[in-house]
Amino acid sequence: MAEVGAHLTAAPAGGERPSVFEAVAQDSLMAAVKPALQHLVKVLAESNPGRYGFLWHWFDELYVLLDLLLQQHYLARCSASFSENFYSLKRIPMGDGRQQPLATAGLPKRQHWKSLLLLVLVPYLKGKLEKLVSSLREEDEYSIHPPSSSWKRFYRAFLAAYPYVNMTWEGWFLIQQLRYILGKAEHHSPMLKLAGVRLIRLTAEDIQALEKKWAETTPNKTHSITSRVQSALRRALGGIAFSLSTGLSVSVFFLQFLDWWYSSENQETIKSLTALPTPPPPVHLEHEPSSALLPSLKTVCPLCRKVRVNATALATSGFVFCYRCIYSYVKAHQRCPVTGYATELQHLVKLYSPES
């Protein structure tokens, strides 16, 4: 059963503190899920941009909503995040009380909402910041603005400071893990300390309570319309969250394999094993209004409808534009204006003719 976790083994007395391997493994679980799902969405968007392109464009926002629903479901039912429950762990409030609450009791409201925000919001903001840094670096490399502009000086200073900020952030986590290994800290992650909780293993009583709670699924017989609507909404959200958690529990190892396969360390091996042939021309242009962008003369830019200046091709689709036109369009829309294929600034290829 997904609610109880993948490893339902009771911890021995005195062994409630999880090992650093369990703690780090549950952290890496969700970190592997997002890139794998992102690759699947990218494949869908490239296969049919008109139908699935919005999934790729709004992937971060859609993922954070699904993550919010999933983590809220597990924190409320199991006092743990999805990955913590998968490794048979639970969160308890920090304190010196000897009586540890059952996993089904839930966290106090303050620790619950702090845990939810730190589980969902911090990774989302960190990912957005990394994308911002990446886009600024691309703009710094491909920008057509004068190098003396004040905005360019500002983000160059930001880009110079970001590696040190990121190193400090990662070092904070590393030091906390080292202190946890040496027994000097109760938390392997600073996020747990900020949430006011710590991790322990599930006990036999926790497992029995979770199984009993899962079995007691009788609907409440209420007569108030408001109560019925609220109850139906809770059941619907719980069903969606359970479907997501069950699907992730079943496919988590497959998703981790996808994350490993498409990681940057393996890209050279993948390129050598799966050499890409020349892509065929888009076959869906006849049925889409975007084909009207194509001019009759091959030397005319499809965007500005003038003779091309500094001809630049898109590696994703093969169509040729003016450099300024396609740079501005790709920066704003992240796709090819003709085919709708997902495109980034590094896909711009400068063409050189014999006349130049």
Side-chain angles (χ1 to χ4, degrees):
M1 178 169 47
E3 293 291 342
V4 184
H7 310 284
L8 299 183
T9 55
E16 65 175 19
R17 184 176 184 267
S19 67
V20 68
F21 301 104
E22 293 172 308
V24 173
Q26 65 86 19
D27 281 339
S28 63
L29 179 60
M30 290 307 292
V33 168
K34 183 177 180 180
L37 288 177
Q38 192 171 20
H39 177 74
L40 293 177
V41 170
K42 185 177 181 181
V43 171
L44 287 175
E46 290 179 345
S47 63
N48 194 331
R51 178 175 297 181
Y52 304 112
F54 76 97
L55 293 177
W56 174 254
H57 188 264
W58 297 103
F59 176 80
D60 289 336
E61 287 68 26
L62 293 174
Y63 179 83
V64 78
L65 288 177
L66 294 177
D67 193 25
L68 179 67
L69 179 62
L70 189 69
Q71 303 298 0
Q72 165 64 19
H73 176 73
Y74 272 93
L75 285 173
R77 295 181 65 91
C78 309
S79 301
S81 68
F82 167 75
S83 56
E84 291 162 358
N85 179 258
F86 187 83
Y87 281 93
S88 300
L89 305 176
K90 69 174 182 178
R91 295 185 174 211
I92 61 172
M94 291 181 60
D96 52 358
R98 297 290 182 179
Q99 186 71 23
Q100 303 296 354
L102 291 175
T104 53
L107 292 169
K109 285 188 177 180
R110 184 176 181 181
Q111 282 81 3
H112 176 95
W113 292 112
K114 287 172 68 175
S115 297
L116 187 61
L117 288 176
L118 291 172
L119 281 169
V120 177
L121 191 60
V122 171
Y124 172 75
L125 294 178
K126 188 173 185 295
K128 282 295 185 182
L129 181 61
E130 290 174 352
K131 283 191 173 182
L132 175 63
V133 171
S134 177
S135 65
L136 288 178
R137 284 174 177 165
E138 290 175 355
E139 186 171 351
D140 186 47
E141 182 177 356
Y142 297 101
S143 178
I144 55 179
H145 297 295
S148 59
S149 63
S150 58
W151 167 243
K152 194 159 190 175
R153 288 197 300 269
F154 170 77
Y155 74 69
R156 277 186 172 176
F158 172 74
L159 291 178
Y162 177 77
Y164 299 99
V165 175
N166 188 57
M167 181 179 64
T168 303
W169 175 269
E170 298 295 338
W172 186 26
F173 280 76
L174 177 60
I175 292 174
Q176 190 69 22
Q177 289 178 3
L178 292 176
R179 295 183 69 243
Y180 185 80
I181 293 173
L182 298 175
K184 303 295 184 180
E186 293 183 338
H187 317 85
H188 76 285
S189 169
M191 297 296 103
L192 292 173
K193 187 173 183 180
L194 292 177
V197 297
R198 64 186 181 93
L199 291 179
I200 63 172
R201 291 193 180 98
L202 289 176
T203 62
E205 291 79 8
D206 290 317
I207 296 172
Q208 292 174 1
L210 288 170
E211 290 177 343
K212 183 179 179 181
K213 185 175 182 179
W214 178 249
E216 295 173 352
T217 55
T218 56
N220 296 325
K221 296 181 179 180
T222 56
H223 300 283
S224 172
I225 296 178
T226 304
S227 300
R228 289 181 180 180
V229 172
Q230 291 177 350
S231 178
L233 183 60
R234 283 195 298 267
R235 286 198 299 269
L237 292 177
I240 295 173
F242 175 72
S243 301
L244 290 172
S245 62
T246 304
L248 286 176
S249 298
V250 172
S251 59
V252 64
F253 295 107
F254 172 70
L255 292 174
Q256 284 184 317
F257 171 76
L258 280 181
D259 178 52
W260 170 83
W261 180 256
Y262 288 100
S263 62
S264 58
E265 291 81 2
N266 298 314
Q267 286 305 302
E268 294 300 326
T269 304
I270 293 172
K271 289 179 182 178
S272 63
L273 294 177
T274 58
L276 295 177
T278 302
V283 296
H284 62 283
L285 289 178
E286 299 177 359
H287 309 287
E288 294 190 3
S290 59
S291 59
L293 288 172
L294 296 177
S296 56
L297 295 178
K298 295 182 178 181
T299 57
V300 173
C301 172
L303 289 174
C304 66
R305 297 289 178 171
K306 298 178 181 179
V307 177
R308 289 193 302 265
V309 179
N310 293 329
T312 303
L314 290 185
T316 52
S317 64
F319 288 98
V320 185
F321 309 84
C322 298
Y323 176 78
R324 287 177 177 267
C325 297
I326 194 58
Y327 175 88
S328 302
Y329 189 92
V330 170
K331 182 181 176 183
H333 303 283
Q334 292 84 46
R335 62 182 177 87
C336 172
V338 178
T339 64
Y341 291 168
T343 306
E344 298 178 4
L345 289 177
Q346 62 262 32
H347 295 141
L348 274 62
V349 180
K350 180 73 170 66
L351 300 182
Y352 296 93
S353 62
E355 292 80 6
S356 60

